[in-house]
Amino acid sequence: MKLLSPRLHGYVDYAVVVLLAFAPLALRFGPVPTAVSSVAALTHLVLTLLSDQPLGATRKIPFPVHGALESFLGVGLVASPWLFGFSAEGPARIFSVITGLALLLVVLATRYTAGILSRPEPYDRYDR
């Protein structure tokens, strides 16, 4: 059973963006992990704003595609310490891996097909 509705998933998306944007400041990351986290935050924000979900702004990306792209972002976050050479920085490595795994759990727990079979039009602001 999927636990997260599209609306709740939208709230989680924006919380992840804030976490990715401000964690490097709070945890005092070096320049490379700060850049990776900032790019991930910006990517996730754009993805969320363009997605067809109740909290999306333009609804250009279908919600199941949002889920697929979000899973790639999660895998990228998990792999980023080794891809970008900051695996020796403990706090940055741990943050990146945990955030990536949490994002993958959100992907697994979300109902991406909620409303797709019952209505062909995109979500409106009030989730109708």
Side-chain angles (χ1 to χ4, degrees), residues 41-94:
L42 182 62
T43 302
H44 201 260
L45 177 64
V46 169
L47 176 63
T48 301
L49 290 173
L50 293 177
S51 293
D52 181 20
Q53 62 172 326
L55 299 178
T58 61
R59 297 180 171 84
K60 300 292 183 192
I61 300 173
F63 196 45
V65 174
H66 168 98
L69 294 173
E70 200 168 50
S71 65
F72 288 127
L73 182 62
V75 170
L77 281 171
V78 169
S80 67
W82 295 275
L83 289 174
F84 298 108
F86 62 92
S87 61
E89 295 182 40
R93 181 189 65 237
I94 292 168

Side-chain angles (χ1 to χ4, degrees), residues 14-28:
Y14 288 113
V16 168
V17 168
V18 170
L19 178 71
L20 286 168
F22 292 110
L25 299 172
L27 299 175
R28 299 174 195 243

Side-chain angles (χ1 to χ4, degrees), residues 4 9 12-13 16 70 101-110 112:
L4 297 177
H9 181 98
V12 171
D13 278 346
V16 168
E70 200 168 50
L101 291 174
L103 197 56
L104 290 171
L105 285 175
V106 168
V107 169
L108 291 174
T110 299
Y112 287 101

